């Protein structure tokens, strides 16, 4: 474990931490793994009609197959990120990707709901901490001025992966059965996991200057972590707001294929394709709102939080009209697609805000706190609570009601706005350096 003192930097703090080619290679590999993270996570959504017919499952049970991953990720994300911050991000990501890929492949061999539920929980155990650790790595290797834009592109992989998971799952299941879908999407992650060992890492930054006589104990480090995270109102309110908005996102992602199947009479594979278009709009939105956040934040940083509050409220209005008002189907789909674009308005900007105010020595951990809130109170809530509401009052009602979480999100972002800029100034002068690579490409002579 390599520590160096968190002293003010004398060089260009807003430059690349490693060479541009190495930084962009790291981004490409981290993006690719995020893609398969969500392909493996969301492939099951397109299989809901098949599982419902085969095993007679309720909507609550189907939603549980999605929510269990978010619950496991939330439970383990913080310890995994703490370990990654202490031992290295690249090695941690290699282990994560290997576990979730093998667990996804194992899903194809399950023969009842309990077995599938357990296998999905192991998928979640593998994915634990990946988004936060990968995001921290990208945020540290690239210039700060590109942070929200690159995080938006990175997190857009979640939407793109969800699209591919739904499309691939629907097509494979229609031809070879739902079991085969898990094997098709699980294998590529194993290859990417090995290649990820070529990605550059950054040196872990200690939280406070230390002398040669002072060694930081585990208990002392833990106290510093708790003090750093608990003392940030910006992090707290941004995490709560981001979680509330993701409850909206996860509801739409999980239940839109079933909605088109039940209310518009679309076959399961056709319903998956329609839902995939909406999720793809979300991928565009994830990148676009990241770019927008960098643009408005350049004028004044707090504008990023104002933008998120405004768009979260607008998303509620769009989905309220799309599902809560009698709308012609030809008009409804464009409204839903527009809502899909808008609902991703907080993904990149919220990550940027949290990583901006967290000490660089705790970036993976700070991002894990955000991920904990997003998974436990956002991604886990949408599918499960949406399923409960659907069982009680119908799926269309659930899709109309759940976007109300966006209003709570808006209020949280406005509260975080009060302390963001003052906390930003506290970590402005912390220095970072690149770490020694774990592996290097082997040169092959002619």
């Amino acid at each position: 474990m390599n520590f160096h003192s968190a002293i003010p930097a004398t060089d260009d703090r807003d430059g690349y931490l490693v060479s541009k080619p190495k930084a962009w290679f790291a981004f490409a590999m981290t993006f690719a793994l995020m893609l398969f993270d969500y392909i493996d996570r969301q492939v099951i959504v397109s299989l809901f009609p098949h599982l419902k017919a085969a095993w007679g499952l309720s909507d609550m049970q189907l939603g549980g197959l999605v929510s269990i991953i978010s619950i496991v990720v939330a439970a383990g994300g913080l310890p995994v990120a703490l370990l990654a911050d202490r031992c290295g991000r690249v090695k941690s990501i290699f282990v994560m990707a290997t576990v979730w890929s093998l667990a996804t492949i194992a899903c194809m061999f399950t023969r009842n709901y309990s077995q599938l539920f357990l296998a999905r929980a192991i998928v979640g155990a593998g994915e634990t901490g990946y988004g936060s650790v990968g995001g921290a790595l990208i945020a540290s290797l690239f210039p700060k001025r590109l942070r929200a834009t690159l995080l938006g592109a990175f997190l857009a992989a979640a939407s793109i992966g969800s699209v591919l998971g739904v499309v691939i799952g629907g097509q494979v299941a229609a031809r070879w059965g739902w079991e085969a879908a898990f094997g098709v999407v699980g294998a590529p992650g194993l290859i990417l996991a090995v290649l990820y060992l070529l990605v550059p890492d950054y040196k872990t930054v200690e939280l406070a200057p230390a002398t040669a006589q002072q060694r930081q104990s585990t208990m002392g480090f833990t106290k510093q972590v708790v003090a750093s995270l608990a003392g940030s109102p910006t992090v707290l309110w941004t995490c709560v707001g981001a979680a509330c908005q993701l409850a909206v996102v996860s509801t739409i992602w999980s239940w839109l294929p079933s909605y088109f199947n039940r209310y518009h009479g679309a076959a399961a594979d056709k319903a998956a394709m329609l839902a995939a278009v909406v999720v793809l709009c979300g991928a565009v939105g994830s990148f676009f709102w990241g770019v927008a956040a960098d643009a408005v934040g350049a004028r004044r940083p707090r504008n990023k939080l104002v933008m998120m509050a405004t768009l979260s409220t607008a998303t509620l209005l769009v989905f309220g009209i799309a599902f809560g008002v009698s709308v012609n189907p030809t008009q409804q789909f464009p409204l839903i697609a527009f809502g899909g674009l808008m609902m991703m308005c907080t993904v990149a900007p919220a990550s940027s805000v949290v990583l901006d105010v967290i000490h660089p020595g705790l970036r993976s951990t700070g991002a894990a706190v955000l991920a904990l809130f997003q998974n436990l109170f956002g991604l886990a809530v949408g599918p499960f609570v949406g399923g409960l509401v659907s069982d009680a009052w119908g799926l269309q009602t659930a899709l109309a009601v759940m976007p109300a979480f966006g209003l709570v999100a808006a209020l949280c972002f406005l509260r975080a706005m009060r302390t963001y800029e003052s906390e930003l100034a506290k970590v402005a002068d912390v220095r970072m350096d690149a770490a020694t690579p774990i592996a290097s490409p082997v040169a092959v002579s002619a």
Side-chain angles (χ1 to χ4, degrees):
M1 177 171 55
N2 291 317
F3 283 107
H4 68 283
S5 182
I7 59 175
T10 57
D11 55 346
D12 179 13
R13 292 188 305 271
D14 205 28
Y16 288 84
L17 194 63
V18 295
S19 67
K20 285 187 180 181
K22 289 182 179 179
W24 284 106
F25 174 72
F27 175 82
M29 290 299 300
T30 309
F31 180 94
L33 272 180
M34 187 68 154
L35 197 70
F36 278 95
D37 180 330
Y38 273 82
I39 288 175
D40 293 356
R41 182 184 292 209
Q42 292 296 121
V43 65
I44 200 165
V45 171
S46 63
L47 309 180
F48 278 0
H50 300 279
L51 292 169
K52 193 176 186 69
W55 293 344
L57 304 180
S58 69
D59 284 351
M60 184 183 70
Q61 288 176 306
L62 292 172
L65 293 171
V66 179
S67 294
I68 185 57
I69 289 184
S70 299
I71 292 170
V72 173
V73 169
L78 191 54
V80 168
L82 276 167
L83 185 63
D85 268 334
R86 297 281 277 180
C87 301
R89 287 135 293 273
V90 172
K91 289 182 289 186
S92 301
I93 288 174
F94 163 73
V95 174
M96 293 179 211
T98 301
V99 171
W100 89 57
S101 298
L102 289 173
T104 299
I105 295 170
C107 290
M108 69 185 296
F109 301 107
T110 58
R111 292 296 175 263
N112 56 54
Y113 180 79
S114 297
Q115 292 176 1
L116 183 57
F117 188 85
L118 177 60
R120 292 285 291 173
I122 299 173
V123 172
E127 294 179 353
T128 296
Y130 176 70
S132 55
V133 176
L137 185 63
I138 290 172
S140 300
L141 296 181
F142 283 88
K144 182 179 176 181
R145 65 182 180 274
L146 298 176
R147 185 166 294 163
T149 298
L150 288 173
L151 287 173
F154 168 58
L155 295 170
S159 296
I160 298 171
S162 296
V163 168
L164 292 174
V166 170
V167 171
I168 293 171
Q171 295 299 315
V172 172
R175 289 163 175 76
W176 299 293
W178 62 265
E179 296 93 341
F182 292 112
V184 169
V185 302
L190 295 175
I191 299 171
L192 289 172
V194 175
L195 292 176
Y196 203 85
L197 293 174
L198 300 173
V199 169
D201 203 347
Y202 62 88
K203 288 183 180 179
T204 300
V205 186
E206 75 181 318
L207 302 181
T211 67
Q213 290 76 32
Q214 292 175 322
R215 286 191 175 272
Q216 193 177 32
S217 68
T218 301
M219 182 60 69
F221 177 78
T222 303
K223 289 180 179 178
Q224 285 183 308
V225 169
V226 173
S228 297
L229 298 177
S232 175
T234 302
V235 170
L236 172 62
W237 290 108
T238 301
C239 287
V240 175
C244 289
Q245 185 63 13
L246 276 186
V248 180
V249 173
S250 60
T251 299
I252 299 299
W253 277 4
S254 297
W255 291 111
L256 209 51
S258 295
Y259 174 77
F260 289 131
N261 176 254
R262 298 179 196 178
Y263 288 83
H264 293 282
D269 55 341
K270 177 66 173 178
M273 292 292 292
L274 290 171
V277 173
V278 177
V279 179
L280 188 58
C281 290
V284 174
S286 182
F287 176 71
F288 177 79
W289 299 124
V291 174
D294 275 337
V296 301
R299 291 190 290 270
R300 187 172 183 183
R302 63 185 284 175
N303 289 344
K304 289 189 282 189
L305 288 155
V306 175
M307 184 192 83
M308 288 191 286
T310 302
L311 293 172
S312 296
T313 305
T315 302
L316 162 62
L317 297 176
V318 171
F319 281 135
I321 295 172
F323 296 109
V325 178
S326 180
V327 180
N328 185 286
T330 58
Q331 298 174 327
Q332 185 190 38
F333 186 79
L335 267 177
I336 296 173
F338 183 57
L341 176 75
M342 296 188 67
M343 70 183 180
M344 300 298 287
C345 60
T346 67
V347 175
S351 297
S352 175
V353 168
V354 170
L355 291 173
D356 281 348
V357 300
I358 286 291
H359 188 284
L362 288 175
R363 275 189 179 151
S364 293
T365 306
V369 173
L370 174 61
L372 186 152
F373 277 83
Q374 288 176 321
N375 281 280
L376 189 59
F377 304 114
L379 295 176
V381 167
F384 185 75
V385 176
L388 285 175
V389 176
S390 176
D391 284 338
W393 296 290
L395 185 54
Q396 183 157 338
T397 299
L399 292 172
V401 168
M402 291 297 288
F405 277 94
L407 184 59
V408 181
L411 295 174
C412 292
F413 293 135
L414 293 177
R415 176 61 182 81
M417 185 177 65
R418 299 182 188 177
T419 54
Y420 174 48
E421 290 177 343
S422 62
E423 291 186 32
L424 193 60
K426 294 178 182 179
V427 295
D429 292 321
V430 180
R431 174 177 174 161
M432 299 189 69
D433 289 322
T436 302
I438 294 175
S440 299
V442 177
V444 180
S445 59

